[in-house]
Every structure is written in C-alpha cells, then in structure tokens.
Amino acid sequence: MNDALRDTLAINPLLQDWHTPYGLPPFDQVDAGHFIPAFDLAMPAHLAELDAIASQAAPASFDNTVVAFDAAGRLLTRIELLFDNLASSETSPALQEVELIMAPRIAAHKNAIYMHAALFSRIDALYGQRAELGLDSEQLRLLERIHLDFVRAGAKLPEDKRQRYGEVMEALAGLCTRFTQNVLADEAGFSLQLKDAADLAGLPDFLLASAQGAARQLGLPEGSHAITLSPSLAEPFLTFSSRRDLREIVWRERVARGAHAGEHDNRPLAAEIMALRQEQAALHGYASYADYELVDRMAGKPAAVHDLLSRAWEPAKRKAEQDRLALTEMARSLGEPTPIAAWDWRYLAEKVRQQRYDLDDAEIKPYFALENMIAAMFDCAGKLFGVRFVEQQGIPLYHADARLWEVRDRADQLIGLFIGDNYARPSKRSGAWMSIFRSQSGIAGGTLPIVINNNNFAKADTTLLSADDLRTLFHEFGHGLHGLLSQVRYEHLAGTQVLSDFVELPSQIFENWADEESVLKQHARHYQTGEAIPAALLQKLKAARQFNQAWATIQYVAPALIDMALHSLPNGTEVDIAAFEAEQCAALGVPEDIGLRHYLSHFQHLFAGPGYAAGYYVYMWAEVLDADGYDAFIEAGDPFHAETAERLYRHIYSAGNKQEPAAAYRAFRGRDPKVEPMLAKRGLI
Ligand SMILES: [Zn+2]
C-alpha cells in the first residue's frame, strides 16, 4: 500500500468503523468523492474473503462454505447500500458521475463472484449432498438459493462463454443506469409555470399549495405556481384543471419522458438493453428472456402470467366502454369536445365521481394529513404485530426531510430502525419505494435492520394526501415491515429478498388497513379543526371505491402484457421499441383515451435494472394473494384478528425467504389462493 492510498483510507469515513448512533451511516461526513476509493478497496477485499473460503484445506461444509459466503462482503454491502440510497433519494451531479463509472464495475464484481470456479465447486458439491448434510429447513433453503444464484449468474457456463457473459452483464448495468438518469433529466427539465388566474382554473387549494411549493423549489418568485412531472403534481393537475390545453401539455410531456431525440433519448438504449437480455437468455439456453426470468418466479412460465392478466383484460375493456359513455355525456354537458382524449379521462372521471357519489377529492384530503396518516400506519402495525415506533431527533441523516424512528417489539426490545423520507424534490427519483441501509440477520449476535421508505408527496405547510397517496404510504410501509419484522438467521434470506412475484404481498395486503373504517374513524381528523371524518363521507368513500377501476386496470394490465410480449420475443429479434409498443397497443385494442400507465421510453420497472423485467405483472399476481389473504381477516370478523395476524407475521412478514412462497402462503391461509377476490375487488366480476 502506498502512502497516498494509506492517507485516503485514513480519512475516508466509508472505510472506518461507524461509531454512530445505531451504526447508522455517518451521513454528515460522507461526500461523493469518498465512494470510488471505498469501492476500490471493498471489492477486492470481498474477493479475498471468497478466495479464502475457496482455498481452505478443510473439505466443504455448510458452515465453512455456505454460511461463510453469506457473511462475506459486509463492508462492500454497507457501502453499496448507502450509495444506492443516496443515488435514489438525494442525488447530485457528482453522485451521478460516480454511478455511471461504478455501475459496470459493480456488475463486473458480481460476475467475478458468481464465476468463481473454486468457490462454486464447493457449493455445487454441498448441493449434490444436500439431503445427507443434516440441515434444517432454513439451512437447506439457504444452500438451494445460493446455488441457484450461481447457476442463474452463469457459474455452469462453459469456459468459452464466460467472458462474453461478463461483458453482457457489465454493458447492461451501464445502460440501465443511463436509462434511469435520462428519465430523471427529462422530469427535472420540464415545468409548467401557471401565470395567471386563468391558468389556475379548477385547481383546489391543496394543489395550489403544492404548486406554490414546486415553484419555490424551482426558484421562481414567491407566490408563483408551477406544475412538474412529479405524479403528486401532474396527476392531480390532470384530474382538476379545467384548462384542457394545459392538461394536454402535461399529459404529452409525461408520455414523452425518455422519448425526446438527443442525449437523453431512451429508445435506442432500450433496444440495446433488449438485445443484450436476449443474448443473456441465449447463453443460458432459454428461448427468450421471459423464459429465463420466469423460472425463478411463483408463476413459473409466461403462460401462467398471460392466463391471469387475460382474466382481467377483457372484462376491464367491456366495463370501460360503459364508463366512457358516462364520461362522454359529462363532456357534452360541460361543453368540452368529444370524443374525449387521454388528457380528459381523469378530469371527466372526477366530475362523474363527484356527481354520482357526491364525493370530492378536495373534500377528503383535509382529513388525510400526512402526519395523522403516519400515526395511523404505525397504529395498525402495533395492533397487528405489537410493534411501536419512537421518533429520534437530532441524529444527522442525509436530508432535513428524512426522519428516524426506533422500532420496538412487545417486550420493548429494539428490533430495527425506520427512516421515512416523504417529500418530492428534484434530487429524488420519482415514485415510491422501500429500501434498506442494513439487513436483518441472526448470525453472530445479529444485526438490526435499517429500513427506509421514500415517497414523493408534494411538500406543503400541512401535506394533505389523496386516497391514492394514502394507499401508497401504506404500501411502502408494508414493504418496510417486511424488512423490519424479518427474523431469519441468514442475511441472504432476510426481509424482502423473496421471489419477485411474492414481494408485493406484504406491501399490498397492508393497503387494506388504509381502507378500514375503524382506522379512519380514529386517525382521519381534519387538519384544522381536529374533527373526525364524518360517517357520511366514509360511506361515500366506500361506495366510490370501485369507480373507474376499469381505467386503472387497463392502464396497468396493458403495460404488463406489453412487458411480457417484449421480453418473450425470441432471442435475436431486433426491436424498435416505439414501433413495438404501437403494434402491441393496436393488437390489444388499448383504448386511446386511456393509454398506458408507463410507456417503454420511461418504463423504469423494465429498464432501470433486471428486477421487474418480464415482471410488471407481479403487482396483479400479488394482488390475487393480498385480496384472498385479507379475506382471512374478514372471515374472522375482525380486521386485527389476533390469530390471523399471528399467522401473517409468522409465515409472511417475519419469514423472509425461509420457505418456498406457495408453501408460505398455504401455511398462512390454510389453502391455495383464489383469483376471484382480486377480480371482485376491481369490480370485474
Ligand atoms: Zn411495492
């Protein structure tokens, strides 16, 4: 080690022990310049650990190989998780530059792990003898999962294909990073300034407040209003603005994200990503990328996904035809042009909803103050699982809007840390997600999970949520609980590291409690008067719940079908994604006045990484489980039924990936899931 490097290490907080409260990252000491030197040290250190496991003289045992593999690379994991979280929640040009440099190098590192022949031969040998090793079920599961990870990452590829496989994976990592950065650039590059009273026509108070907040963030003069492409501004704008011309601008800009010719154009990137994924699948011997992905899912085969999506698709289209008639009639009565367009649907639907159910979103929001709804979700977690959240002040995090809570169990034991970062800002990617800074594990004294939820609510003096926002808040918190309640021995099996069509079960089932009357009666209080939400308003909310579900189903199912069709193309098929998308929409008969929730040029589920590629369907797959699963509480006659909650905790929320998911579900529910409750919930049967 030379002196310059030694000096770097001595002053790099990423490489020191973290003597911080709870072992949190030393956020106030870390800057973008620390990451590359830290990665440069931590990646070879991880490989050295693996070399030591592979080259030990003792024959392979579960402990000296599998457990040692699970425990290796903790320094790198710690740095990588911090980096990924900062790059998502509070990025900067400097971090984005590091991201572009590191994405292919981290991919190369993963490749070096899974192509480690001597290490794999020990794991493969243990896998061959797994029945005779005397392992318990969690140990056996760990061995099987690690072995599968190696195989799926190319460990069994012949020597002549390995180098190319590594090149493909590195190139994919770089392209996916650029894809995400391009979407962020297009989102940050657009804002619509609302100049006078005519531009503000139709906008309710909460939206005016958040449009003012957005203008402030953009540095516009005090009192200005602006609409950005953040869903928490753009979607309510499309719902409430009576300026059809402005709605069209916002709708078109949203759809065009990633599809502007020039340096941020994602269309050629997506085509390159598809070509490389097809090559990856071919190297593994699968006919298409979807076949390769689906092998490690509950669904198993693309056909099973088609069967499920089709059961929703045709009924949704039929139902949308009826809804369109009502919307068209409303357009005529308002003197708006017909036939209606995609930028009219939300607006007219809201008018019909107001008329039919006497329900106004602006009337509900004052009862859904963010602070009260956070209290509601903590309360639900307490009633179901006995946990308590205690806020901690004065501990530096990466942004002033991020907040920290201790999580304590029934015995008042600290079981984890929870960070909530709820507001939109230009330095945060759009959407809502859960992530971790540290995983739970039960080995060697164990580690407590540090879990983070991100939302993109518009910041205001009092942030008021819509019914959709409330569901998103509970959704991410459901993922958060999956990370926080995890009780497994091995990090590799902890928390949300389950199959990707199972991972949305804990999040989606938790959304049901956001609709529970007893929860809302207690927590949905008017932010100014403190008055509880009126029973009549609750009734109206309930009555309107299935309204416009055909639109939501089409907006979701169509991109899910397009995702499967795209990733099911036989290897070697060149694809122009814009043309492909247009053909698919025509073939499916996607109504033009409804359109897609995500278009391919900004479809980050598919192209930000491999996580949801050939996997956008997982939300509906999990919805089958969550609708059927929540029925267990309804059948028990109590939304917090103790025994049902205990089974949900034991087999789902605390169980990580200890068990095969279909078996875990059966253990919770006592039988396999039924599809009908999901279809009924969407009003499709
Ligand atoms: Zn989710």
Side-chain angles (χ1 to χ4, degrees), residues 76-123:
L76 176 62
T77 304
R78 188 180 84 163
I79 297 166
E80 207 180 342
L81 288 173
L82 172 60
F83 181 73
D84 289 347
N85 279 309
L86 291 177
S88 299
S89 302
E90 181 59 5
T91 193
S92 65
L95 279 174
Q96 289 192 324
E97 213 180 295
V98 176
E99 209 177 5
L100 281 175
I101 294 167
M102 287 312 305
R105 294 184 52 201
I106 290 170
H109 176 70
K110 301 251 147 89
N111 217 46
I113 297 170
Y114 290 110
M115 297 289 187
H116 198 302
L119 179 59
F120 180 65
S121 83
R122 288 175 78 93
I123 291 169

Side-chain angles (χ1 to χ4, degrees), residues 2 6 26 43 54 63 92 104 107 124 143 175 185 187 196 210 213 241 261 325 327 393 416 449 476 555 571 633 673:
N2 65 35
R6 190 171 296 122
M43 292 194 300
D63 281 338
S92 65
D124 200 35
L143 173 53
L175 289 167
E187 287 176 352
D196 51 30
S210 32
S241 172
L325 293 176
L327 267 57
Q393 314 268 4
E476 297 310 331
Q555 276 233 315
N571 302 326
F633 287 92

